[in-house]
Amino acid sequence: MTTTEPSRIIRVAVPVPLHREFDYSVPEGQPLPVIGARVAVPFSGRKLVGLVVALNPPDAHDRVRPIGALLDAENVLGGEILGLGRWLSSYYQHPLGEVLTTLLPGAARRPVPLKIRRPESWELAAAEPDLARAPRQKALYELIRTSGGALRAEDIRAAGFERTHIRGLAAKGFIRKSENGAPARAAAPAEVALPVLNAEQAAALEVLEAGRGFHPVLLDGITGSGKTEVYLRFIARVLDAGRQVLVLVPEIALTPQTLARFEARFGAAAVMHSNLTDTARLQVWLKVRSGEARILIGTRSAVLTPFADLGLIVVDEEHDASFKQTDGLRYSARDLAVKRARDLDIPLILGSATPSFESLHNALVGRYRHVLLTERAGGASLPGFQLIDIRGHALEGGLSEDLIRAIGTHLEAGGQALVFLNRRGFAPSMVCGHCRWQARCPGCDWPMTMHQRPPALICHHCGRRQGLPESCPDCGQNALIAVGSGTQRCEDVLGERFPDVPVYRIDRDTTRSQRRLEAQLKAIGNGQPAILVGTQMLAKGHHFPDVTLVAVINADGGFMSPDFRAPERTAQLIVQVAGRAGRAERAGTVIIQTYQPDSPLLTTLIGDGYRAFARQELETRAAAELPPHTPMALLRAEAVQGEDARRWLEALARHLGPGLSVYGPAPALMPRVADRLRFQLMITAPSRRLLHQALLPLKQVEDVPRGVRWSLDVDPYDTY
Ligand code: ADP
Ligand code: ZN
Ligand code: ZN
């Protein structure tokens, strides 16, 4: 370390879990970086990439270490995202260094230059080349000339030319490699005949177009009501005005149809999701940042992308849980979309058939414009609901005889049936009929799920996997019984009952392979009679136009869970699954099996619809002082010795500022996972400002006991 002139000290946010930044000096002769540039710095014997957050901080130490290298000449995140990073760090109480590096794509967290890679392209270098004796080269020269003066190597090859032709022209100096690359010879978007908007869609578009500046609209429209069509129309306006658009979607894998629609309408759209390689992701990020990509469609983390000139954000299926990050920086992409739209003073569309209670609340208090689409676009009719009381009924694979009969009727009429069951595997539990032994996960103290394809006992909480025992490990009898039904068992029973009809299972076990999923979706898309069995994946985005019957195997579980969000989530699932029925000309039927046909939650939902259900539940939440009326944070702690975790939460509670309601520590809903005992402390406050203030002292907390892991979740989604 050397003493440095104060004017050459920079403050750097480095990716370490500490609530502070670190000062470094810039060696003489090197330019002073700008705020937001990346620097490589030595840190505890490692070399880390950090971001410059301040120049010449007044309280800097004068003895600091020099930086390793300055990596950028400019602020790589841009002013808006750098500001967003500071806000994220403060709102979610996450160390700034970790936040800022999260904002960088993985490939940019290494000390490499950030450059848009151009595909190899060739451009004209001479005006009147003499190519009389080289007809192929002359033809190639002409091709490049008529293509606007530059062409990609791949397009040259596609036109039937060889490397030797390129080399020949280049050697004579008639063409040269293009620095900027040539544009793709993408087919212009096909001329699609746009549907005539119905009255509700037209009214929605008018509301959007009348807005100025920050203008949040909750587009609350039933499945198939034409929300996507409304987005597309408004997006076209924004693009025509020369601005960029961000569209957030829950899961790309399950929305190929939506993607195809965007591409058909606008030509190319940049796509960002978790399956991209680091390099591909960086390229998309750079093109959005430079303004070259006009539309970005992406999952959760796409909301953190810097744009050159963002003019609109659309959040499709805004109620979806996947928008909330559940570890590390626990942000809500939906909430960030609102924050960004407000900061940039641009319009925002939150679209859903089952809006989150947060957004409904904001609409009810007038913060969002609430626009309803109540009819199916293109005249398809809405499904009707039917309850089947399964008290005292024998079930096979979860299915009652009445339901099996109904499925048969729909298949005979040429329709498809969709069976929704929120449990993967064969059976949720395995017991011995002789001695009552039950297969339980030793780490979680919870029943293990029996799987048949491939055979295994799997703990759905910690992932532990064991072989399926042939006989009871306790008493040795051959008396093992599968209890209850998961999707595999349901699939088996349906296969036996309807041997001539294909059964497609769609759950996390069958959709790991994107190719298999696409093949299944394609087979279903041919419209022949078929049965689809699956978990909530079936409820997401995908349209099944030939499904005429939707069956919900058991609606009760979700309504009885102690998680305060369970009724909301269950209602959303039921309505979303139901929305898959009767999309085309055929009306659909939705059958719900229940042990509680008189449950007020279920009858309100079925009889009066999602909006009435939501209003009723929102009142319950208000009375109980729960979100969205009352802001909440959750402190979680876990340890092998449960007492350590509990005592740590008690210690944390003493740090909290005044004015809060604190509940706990209490065991989490899943009290033990993978040998660790879990506790939580629920915190609510009368206002967001107060909650924020009261949580601030947690940043100073040090000396976490050995073996204890803890975290803070602001606006938790899952409260267990
Ligand atoms: P949502 O996004 O609300 O589920 P979509 O925009 O996907 O609804 O529309 C459902 C179906 O109706 C799509 O096949 C779409 O092409 C079609 N559609 C949308 N708007 C109209 C319209 N105004 N007239 C005819 N068909 C329409
Ligand atoms: Zn036994
Ligand atoms: Zn387990």
Side-chain angles (χ1 to χ4, degrees):
M1 279 190 208
T2 52
T3 307
T4 312
E5 264 181 65
S7 63
R8 302 202 57 86
I9 293 182
I10 58 172
R11 187 156 287 174
V12 180
V14 287
V16 292
L18 296 171
H19 281 281
R20 52 167 296 209
E21 291 80 59
F22 296 85
D23 293 345
Y24 291 88
S25 66
V26 180
E28 287 301 330
Q30 272 198 35
L32 211 58
V34 297
I35 288 177
R38 293 173 308 150
V39 282
V41 293
F43 191 91
S44 313
R46 291 181 295 162
K47 205 167 202 182
L48 297 178
V49 171
L51 280 168
V52 179
V53 291
L55 305 177
N56 305 316
D59 55 343
H61 279 280
D62 57 353
R63 291 180 64 81
V64 294
R65 305 178 64 181
I67 61 167
L70 171 59
L71 300 172
D72 307 299
E74 80 282 351
N75 176 347
V76 285
L77 293 174
E80 189 224 344
I81 296 295
L82 196 62
L84 185 71
R86 292 182 196 279
W87 181 87
L88 280 165
S89 168
S90 145
Y91 188 85
Y92 293 107
Q93 293 226 3
H94 204 74
L96 184 63
E98 287 196 337
V99 170
L100 292 182
T101 42
T102 302
L103 296 180
L104 288 171
R109 293 172 214 159
R110 293 191 289 275
V112 293
L114 303 182
K115 211 166 157 252
I116 298 183
R117 264 198 328 228
R118 302 289 170 193
E120 181 192 328
S121 304
W122 295 88
E123 64 187 17
L124 303 188
E128 302 258 330
D130 177 12
L131 286 164
R133 273 171 305 154
R136 286 300 284 161
Q137 289 184 16
K138 185 173 170 62
L140 173 55
Y141 183 93
E142 279 308 304
L143 176 69
I144 298 175
R145 194 179 60 78
T146 51
S147 307
L151 202 54
R152 292 188 179 183
E154 60 189 79
D155 291 329
I156 293 176
R157 272 193 299 277
F161 293 93
E162 307 287 335
R163 269 266 151 223
T164 49
H165 302 127
I166 299 180
R167 268 195 234 114
L169 280 175
K172 292 175 194 147
F174 296 155
I175 63 172
R176 65 176 163 241
K177 242 191 193 152
S178 158
E179 279 292 303
N180 297 320
R185 278 178 111 193
E191 283 294 319
V192 266
L194 301 185
V196 179
L197 296 185
N198 66 31
E200 286 184 331
Q201 287 174 310
L205 191 61
E206 240 169 68
V207 169
L208 288 166
E209 284 172 352
R212 292 288 167 268
F214 176 55
H215 184 60
V217 170
L218 175 60
L219 189 57
D220 177 352
I222 60 169
T223 314
S225 60
K227 294 183 293 295
T228 309
E229 188 59 40
V230 174
Y231 309 153
L232 291 170
R233 297 293 173 101
F234 192 55
I235 288 171
R237 300 290 167 102
V238 177
L239 293 175
D240 283 347
R243 308 194 73 184
Q244 290 169 287
V245 176
L246 168 62
V247 182
L248 296 174
V249 295
E251 255 164 282
I252 295 262
L254 293 162
T255 46
Q257 293 165 331
T258 308
L259 269 185
R261 260 169 100 185
F262 274 80
E263 277 166 5
R265 199 68 67 91
F266 303 117
V271 176
M272 204 182 259
H273 54 80
S274 53
N275 289 343
L276 290 186
T277 64
D278 268 8
T279 351
R281 187 182 191 82
L282 176 62
Q283 288 301 311
V284 172
W285 189 85
L286 290 171
K287 285 178 188 161
V288 173
R289 189 184 71 161
S290 74
E292 188 176 320
R294 311 305 300 165
I295 306 184
L296 175 64
I297 303 179
T299 47
R300 181 175 60 227
S301 66
V303 77
L304 307 173
T305 313
F307 280 71
D309 185 14
L310 185 56
L312 166 68
I313 306 178
V314 178
V315 186
D316 190 27
E317 310 291 358
E318 65 87 32
H319 64 279
D320 198 277
S322 72
F323 287 127
K324 170 81 178 176
Q325 169 97 19
T326 52
D327 54 11
L329 175 60
R330 293 173 164 78
Y331 65 93
S332 153
R334 195 232 3 256
D335 295 351
L336 283 190
V338 179
K339 157 96 182 132
R340 283 191 79 177
R342 184 185 297 120
D343 289 353
L344 292 170
D345 203 27
I346 58 172
L348 165 77
I349 310 177
L350 302 171
S352 177
T354 52
S356 65
F357 287 9
E358 272 70 18
S359 298
L360 276 176
H361 175 69
N362 281 328
L364 288 173
V365 300
R367 266 182 229 136
Y368 300 164
R369 279 294 296 265
H370 196 172
V371 176
L372 299 180
L373 299 181
T374 60
E375 285 163 21
R376 287 200 156 177
S381 40
L382 271 175
F385 281 93
Q386 237 173 278
L387 290 183
I388 296 185
D389 181 355
I390 47 174
R391 281 175 297 185
H393 283 234
L395 303 179
E396 216 189 325
L399 310 156
S400 64
E401 251 343 283
D402 288 353
L403 177 55
I404 291 177
R405 215 171 304 119
I407 293 173
T409 310
H410 279 262
L411 294 174
E412 267 160 38
Q416 296 179 340
L418 183 159
V419 177
F420 167 71
L421 173 60
N422 217 5
R423 266 199 181 128
R424 52 193 183 93
F426 185 79
S429 154
M430 184 186 212
V431 299
C432 172
H434 185 69
C435 75
R436 301 273 121 207
W437 170 86
Q438 184 183 35
R440 294 177 84 81
C441 172
C444 305
D445 193 25
W446 205 263
M448 291 183 89
T449 302
M450 187 181 158
H451 284 242
Q452 286 290 26
R453 285 181 295 281
L457 283 171
I458 300 176
C459 172
H460 283 190
H461 298 285
C462 71
R464 180 192 292 261
R465 185 180 279 266
Q466 285 168 204
L468 265 190
E470 302 252 314
S471 54
C472 174
D474 250 22
C475 71
Q477 298 274 337
N478 234 337
L480 294 178
I481 309 168
V483 181
S485 296
T487 46
Q488 292 179 359
R489 190 175 211 171
C490 192
E491 177 189 14
D492 286 359
V493 169
L494 287 165
E496 283 159 23
R497 289 304 198 91
F498 302 102
D500 304 329
V501 176
V503 180
Y504 301 101
R505 176 159 58 89
I506 297 184
D507 57 29
R508 228 179 337 125
D509 298 318
T510 65
T511 53
R512 285 215 177 91
S513 144
Q514 177 73 15
R515 224 189 291 131
R516 172 156 175 208
L517 174 64
E518 271 164 24
Q520 284 192 324
L521 295 177
K522 189 154 173 254
I524 295 163
N526 76 16
Q528 297 301 311
I531 305 175
L532 291 60
V533 181
T535 56
Q536 57 187 358
M537 304 215 117
L538 284 176
K540 294 206 179 183
H542 209 87
H543 305 164
F544 299 107
D546 298 298
V547 165
T548 55
L549 171 67
V550 167
V552 178
I553 291 302
N554 185 343
D556 306 328
F559 285 130
M560 293 185 306
S561 159
D563 184 346
F564 78 89
R565 255 186 246 277
E568 172 185 0
R569 204 156 25 205
T570 306
Q572 286 167 345
L573 256 178
I574 291 176
V575 174
Q576 289 287 345
V577 181
R580 309 298 125 192
R583 301 268 318 198
E585 312 71 37
R586 311 165 163 199
T589 305
V590 180
I591 294 183
I592 297 180
Q593 295 193 138
T594 174
Y595 287 104
Q596 300 178 303
D598 309 320
S599 140
L601 288 174
L602 191 57
T603 45
T604 303
L605 179 65
I606 307 297
D608 308 325
Y610 181 80
R611 249 174 256 126
F613 174 90
R615 259 196 304 278
Q616 192 175 310
E617 269 292 295
L618 275 168
E619 278 169 27
T620 311
R621 296 249 198 114
E625 300 190 339
L626 287 167
H629 310 80
T630 307
M632 176 185 282
L634 202 66
L635 281 166
R636 299 187 180 89
E638 54 172 67
V640 174
Q641 301 298 328
E643 204 39 34
D644 293 351
R646 206 179 55 75
R647 249 187 268 126
W648 177 243
L649 286 181
E650 278 171 358
L652 288 179
R654 286 193 289 276
H655 279 86
L656 297 171
L660 302 177
S661 306
V662 176
Y663 309 91
L669 282 193
M670 263 303 287
R672 191 166 126 202
V673 171
D675 278 324
R676 303 176 69 86
L677 290 151
R678 315 189 324 154
F679 286 83
Q680 64 185 35
L681 195 74
M682 196 181 271
I683 302 162
T684 60
S687 76
R688 218 157 249 302
R689 203 182 48 80
L690 232 154
L691 180 68
H692 189 72
Q693 281 300 322
L695 293 175
L696 282 179
L698 292 179
K699 281 192 190 176
Q700 260 70 57
V701 167
E702 281 170 8
D703 305 323
V704 184
R706 270 180 69 98
V708 175
R709 282 190 220 141
W710 75 282
S711 62
L712 167 67
D713 192 349
V714 179
D715 306 330
Y717 185 78
D718 290 318
T719 49
Y720 52 83

